[in-house]
């Protein structure tokens, strides 16, 4: 009956409308958040296993709402990615990192590098290299202090556009890391083409180490592949000493995870650096 059919579709589009309405609400809330400066960064250490020290930090965004609740990035970045807003959030992140870096350097981490996550819409913008240069230049920071983390999904969506932008960024001195390695398209020829200096093994694979044979095989193979291509290999989500032992055994370059340190705000990093300084 034609009528029933019509009412069914009406119902469908009703739910769809509700989803769209919720996203619009979230988008306008995020816009306000940016204006009110409600975003903040936490930094998680990336530890080098050859030099036995923290060589880099990953900047991770959070949103502190007016009522004090803290919203994790998984709950708002995907929505922001649906619009240009992500570009403005991304610029805010880089600018904040550039404000924080000199303080970290002054606190006894002169050669620390900061990893910054980048979403697809940011990376499809031809202006990105110029804008990044303007931001680091104004802050007096060398581009080599910044490592941009990109997922395969981001790169592959428009490889024709992203590859020239990546090459330009590397020419300017920025580093690029391939994030969530193993989760996406993972074309091996892609790995050969990309101007990257490191790959990050996604933490879903680490979760199976050491009890899951397949996960162990995957992690070992990614480490081997990366090292053979002269890339640094960073393991994400390292939570136990057993996992760390496994990674050491197979010569993984760097580790990141709760074992070596949770993400913390700048003030905590600075306080810790103060404490570790020779008196
Ligand atoms: P990601 O890039 O894969 O970042 C690593 C995530 O793993 C972070 O979650 C971090 O807190 C978490 N993590 C680190 N070590 C461990 C561990 O040992 N165990 C477990 N269970 N988790 C660990 P977080 O901060 O919630 O970020 C989630 C995602 O949000 C990130 O995943 C990234 O894709 C995105 N994101 C975060 N900050 C930004 C940003 O500034 N811009 C963009 N575009 N995306 C961001
Ligand atoms: Ca990342
Ligand atoms: Ca990941
Ligand atoms: Ca990710």
């Amino acid at each position: 009956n034609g009528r029933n059919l019509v009412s069914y579709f009406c119902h469908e589009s009703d739910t769809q409308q509700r989803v769209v309405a919720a996203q619009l609400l979230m988008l306008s809330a995020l816009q306000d958040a940016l204006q009110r400066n409600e975003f903040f960064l936490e930094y998680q250490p990336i530890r080098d296993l050859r030099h036995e020290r923290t060589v880099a930090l990953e900047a991770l965004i959070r949103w502190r709402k007016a009522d004090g609740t803290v919203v994790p990035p998984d709950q708002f970045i995907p929505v922001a990615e649906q619009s240009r807003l992500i570009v403005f959030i991304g610029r805010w992140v880089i600018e904040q990192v550039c404000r924080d870096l000199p303080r970290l350097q002054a606190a006894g981490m002169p050669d620390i590098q900061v990893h910054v996550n980048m979403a697809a819409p940011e990376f499809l913008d031809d202006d990105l290299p110029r804008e990044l240069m303007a931001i680091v230049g104004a802050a007096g920071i060398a581009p080599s202090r910044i490592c941009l983390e990109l997922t395969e999904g981001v790169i592959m969506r428009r490889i024709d556009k992203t590859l020239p932008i990546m090459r330009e960024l590397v020419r300017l001195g920025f580093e690029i890391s391939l994030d969530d390695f193993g989760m996406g398209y993972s074309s091996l020829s892609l790995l050969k083409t990309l101007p990257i200096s490191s790959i990050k093994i996604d933490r879903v694979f680490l979760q199976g180490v050491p009890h899951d044979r397949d996960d162990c095989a995957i992690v070992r193979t990614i480490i081997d592949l990366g090292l053979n291509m002269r890339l640094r290999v960073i393991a994400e989500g390292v939570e136990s000493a057993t996992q760390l032992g496994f990674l050491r055994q197979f010569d993984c370059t760097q580790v990141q995870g709760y074992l070596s340190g949770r993400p913390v705000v700048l003030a905590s990093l600075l306080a810790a650096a103060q404490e570790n300084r020779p008196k």
Side-chain angles (χ1 to χ4, degrees), residues 53-196:
R53 65 187 186 93
T54 298
V55 287
L57 304 165
E58 179 172 4
L60 297 158
I61 194 170
R62 281 95 179 78
W63 171 22
R64 187 181 288 107
K65 289 192 183 176
D67 66 6
T69 51
V70 172
V71 187
D74 285 336
Q75 282 175 34
F76 64 88
I77 290 290
V79 178
E81 280 181 9
Q82 309 285 316
S83 89
R84 286 279 298 166
L85 190 60
I86 190 66
V87 175
F88 298 108
I89 294 179
R91 296 293 187 277
W92 177 84
V93 172
I94 292 273
E95 283 168 358
Q96 189 59 49
V97 163
C98 287
R99 280 190 285 270
D100 292 346
L101 251 169
R103 301 184 62 189
L104 289 163
Q105 291 172 329
M109 291 171 258
D111 49 10
I112 198 91
Q113 196 182 40
V114 177
H115 287 227
V116 176
N117 292 285
M118 289 234 138
E122 297 182 71
F123 229 76
L124 288 173
D125 190 346
D126 299 325
D127 282 341
L128 181 73
R130 202 168 347 122
E131 287 185 21
L132 288 186
M133 279 311 275
I135 296 172
V136 298
I141 286 168
S144 59
R145 297 289 117 225
I146 309 277
C147 177
L148 306 167
E149 292 196 0
L150 294 175
T151 62
E152 292 159 83
V154 169
I155 297 166
M156 289 309 289
R157 204 184 290 189
R158 288 292 306 276
I159 185 80
D160 57 319
K161 281 202 85 178
T162 48
L163 192 56
I165 296 177
M166 289 174 81
R167 290 199 172 122
E168 174 63 4
L169 287 166
V170 168
R171 193 188 64 79
L172 292 168
F174 294 95
E175 270 199 4
I176 298 177
S177 183
L178 190 53
D179 203 358
D180 294 356
F181 189 79
M183 294 300 288
Y185 302 73
S186 284
S187 148
L188 298 183
S189 61
L190 177 69
L191 207 55
K192 209 178 113 173
T193 319
L194 297 178
I196 52 175

